[in-house]
Amino acid sequence: MILGSHVKMTADLYLEGSVKEALSYEANAMMIYTGAPQNTKRIPVERLHIQEAHQLMQEHGISPEHLIIHAPYIINPANSVKPEVAELAVEFLQMEIQRTKAIGSKYIVLHPGSYTTTDIETGIRTIISQLNSIRDIPDGIMICLETMAGKGSEVGYRFEQLAEIYEGLELKEHYAVCFDTCHTHDAGYDLTDLDSVLDEFDHYLGMDKMKVIHLNDSKNIRGARKDRHANLGQGMIGFDTLYNVCTHPRLEEIPKILETPYIDGKPPYKEEIEMLKNGV
Ligand code: FE
Ligand code: FE
Ligand code: ZN
């Protein structure tokens, strides 16, 4: 099981602290934001304790491929109403891609964005042209477009939409997909029939494109398009279905990352990881 959670990256230890947090949950994977997800303030990579972090990962048998980056959600590559916002987003994403490389990570998860006041087709076209304007992606780095819940004007809540984006991308070898269980459930996919959902994913995108899984329960019923994460077994997806995602042979090699909410201000990840390891 390649299993972990979102972890913090804060002073003084930064990335080294992130790895320590993951280890305290007995995780062998983790995901970080390179700074606050709501803004673009970033600490220089020289101060992130990158070597120490990798040393620690190596000691505990954690592969650098299982250290995943999430781009901040202020980035909206689907915004064609305010081109200056989209341009800033792409500039910042360029920097995040370089930071992903410097951190020694491989996968950076990105929300495709929201089309705001236009329409889904315009949104898709805008995403394609924005991403195609990024020419400098280091070898081995992959941008993982996340399956969205379809809240508001979000793009990418159907596999067809992600496939359409992918088709338009020029540097295809640098793009993949992050499958979020809360989001796909909210978008209407029936995860209790996981094989059919995976067949559909395979049909539109190819299973080899799925590189990261976000494992979350959902506060809402299937198809609600709300995007409110719940703790494992506390939502409308339920533990058994999420356990099936976690242990399914077709998904074995893919790192699974919990983004479930804190409980009384405390991270629930140690307990939730244990639940998944024990199957109860
Ligand atoms: Fe996300
Ligand atoms: Fe997610
Ligand atoms: Zn979400």
Side-chain angles (χ1 to χ4, degrees):
M1 236 179 233
I2 306 161
L3 179 60
S5 69
H6 153 78
V7 290
K8 292 189 293 293
M9 185 169 74
T10 50
D12 302 323
L13 291 180
Y14 294 107
L15 193 61
E16 190 184 357
S18 310
V19 177
K20 284 186 171 164
E21 185 183 342
L23 290 171
S24 79
Y25 305 147
E26 288 171 55
N28 58 2
M30 72 203 85
M31 183 175 77
I32 54 161
Y33 288 90
T34 62
Q38 317 84 344
N39 68 46
T40 58
K41 258 199 268 158
R42 293 297 179 265
I43 307 281
V45 289
E46 294 75 27
R47 287 177 49 201
L48 296 180
H49 292 236
I50 293 170
Q51 275 191 337
E52 294 87 339
H54 279 268
Q55 177 71 35
L56 205 52
M57 286 197 296
Q58 202 182 3
E59 278 167 28
H60 289 85
I62 301 178
S63 161
E65 288 198 11
H66 301 149
L67 162 63
I68 291 147
I69 309 292
H70 198 309
Y73 31 77
I74 46 148
I75 292 184
N76 183 7
N79 192 337
S80 59
V81 180
K82 292 185 181 159
E84 67 282 6
V85 172
E87 223 166 274
L88 253 175
V90 164
E91 247 170 66
F92 186 67
L93 187 56
Q94 289 264 26
M95 280 159 43
E96 287 287 89
I97 290 166
Q98 297 305 326
R99 227 176 332 255
T100 300
K101 179 72 182 175
I103 284 172
S105 169
K106 182 177 173 71
Y107 300 117
I108 174 163
V109 176
L110 174 71
H111 294 181
S114 298
Y115 62 76
T116 66
T117 53
T118 62
D119 55 78
I120 191 111
E121 278 307 317
T122 307
I124 288 172
R125 276 202 310 276
T126 308
I127 293 162
I128 292 169
S129 75
Q130 293 296 341
L131 293 180
N132 280 340
S133 72
I134 300 173
R135 308 307 302 178
D136 185 19
I137 307 177
D139 275 354
I141 299 290
M142 296 188 90
I143 299 163
C144 302
L145 301 173
E146 184 164 347
T147 59
M148 300 312 289
K151 183 173 126 191
S153 66
E154 277 175 354
V155 182
Y157 62 91
R158 300 291 309 170
F159 302 153
E160 299 89 301
Q161 296 165 1
L162 293 172
E164 204 181 324
I165 296 168
Y166 183 75
E167 272 319 301
L169 294 171
E170 284 158 15
L171 304 177
K172 286 196 167 46
E173 70 277 21
H174 288 293
Y175 290 91
V177 175
C178 167
F179 182 97
D180 186 308
T181 55
C182 169
H183 298 176
T184 46
H185 162 91
D186 274 35
Y189 292 99
D190 182 4
L191 298 176
T192 61
D193 186 5
L194 183 59
D195 269 302
S196 300
V197 175
L198 297 182
D199 286 344
E200 201 172 328
F201 187 97
D202 194 38
H203 173 77
Y204 286 108
L205 290 150
M207 279 307 293
D208 60 321
K209 282 274 151 313
M210 197 189 288
K211 297 298 189 192
V212 180
I213 291 174
H214 285 169
L215 201 67
N216 303 307
D217 213 325
S218 171
K219 289 207 162 104
N220 294 100
I221 55 162
R222 179 156 64 89
R225 296 177 61 172
K226 296 268 202 223
D227 189 7
R228 293 193 64 214
H229 300 190
N231 291 98
L232 294 192
Q234 308 288 304
M236 304 302 274
I237 301 176
F239 182 77
D240 291 347
T241 300
L242 292 165
Y243 181 70
N244 190 33
V245 173
C246 202
T247 54
H248 200 287
R250 289 167 81 181
L251 307 174
E252 203 181 348
E253 305 290 320
I254 308 172
K256 294 151 191 105
I257 302 291
L258 297 161
E259 305 173 296
T260 50
Y262 277 32
I263 300 169
D264 300 326
K266 289 193 202 75
Y269 305 127
K270 190 175 190 335
E271 289 75 18
E272 293 191 340
I273 285 168
E274 201 177 317
M275 282 167 72
L276 289 164
K277 283 180 180 168
N278 297 335
V280 282

